[in-house]
Amino acid sequence: MGLYESPIRIKSFEFACEVVKYCDKLKSQKDFELASQLLRSGTSIGANTREAQRGVSTKDFKNKFGIALKEADETKYWLEILEATGREVPKAMKNKCEELIRILVAIIKNS
């Protein structure tokens, strides 16, 4: 499996696409502020994993994955806020976010 086909890269990209679609739905329901926060953090996970895989050093690599992990945790927070305030949050989206967090923790621990 090449660099561009790594599981974290694929999963974070697919998750970002789902976040974009979900945020479009939120915006159509006039949830602009929450959609904006979720869109920023949910798409940043993949952007940082991509940057990490171009890291110039192990320290850089771990730092970018650390940022991706923080963004994933923030995304989980926004999904929890949305759910707690009565919005319908797809269970699959919550599960994928949890999976990304687990993968990122493992990558950081093992690098």
Side-chain angles (χ1 to χ4, degrees):
M1 184 176 293
L3 177 66
Y4 296 107
E5 294 126 17
S6 70
I8 187 63
R9 191 157 175 177
I10 293 166
K11 288 177 184 293
S12 61
F13 181 83
E14 290 172 350
F15 181 74
C17 292
E18 288 181 36
V19 166
V20 169
K21 291 175 186 173
Y22 180 63
C23 288
D24 284 346
K25 180 181 174 187
L26 288 173
K27 288 175 190 174
S28 74
Q29 298 167 350
K30 308 293 186 217
D31 269 327
F32 299 110
E33 291 83 5
L34 290 170
S36 175
Q37 293 289 344
L38 180 63
L39 185 64
R40 189 199 54 72
S41 65
T43 57
S44 183
I45 302 164
N48 280 289
T49 60
R50 183 172 285 195
E51 281 187 49
Q53 292 177 324
R54 292 277 183 215
V56 294
S57 65
T58 302
K59 183 179 177 185
D60 187 35
F61 178 86
K62 286 178 82 168
N63 182 50
K64 290 294 182 189
F65 272 115
I67 294 169
L69 176 58
K70 288 177 183 180
E71 295 293 343
D73 197 47
E74 182 180 337
T75 299
K76 180 181 173 188
Y77 173 80
W78 292 118
L79 292 173
E80 290 169 351
I81 291 289
L82 285 159
E83 192 168 58
T85 56
R87 278 75 164 187
E88 187 177 323
V89 177
K91 185 165 180 57
M93 183 176 285
K94 292 189 299 184
N95 291 342
K96 288 175 185 177
C97 188
E98 287 283 349
E99 181 184 19
L100 286 171
I101 290 170
R102 286 191 304 273
I103 293 169
L104 289 164
V105 166
I107 288 170
I108 293 165
K109 280 184 177 179
N110 295 321
S111 58

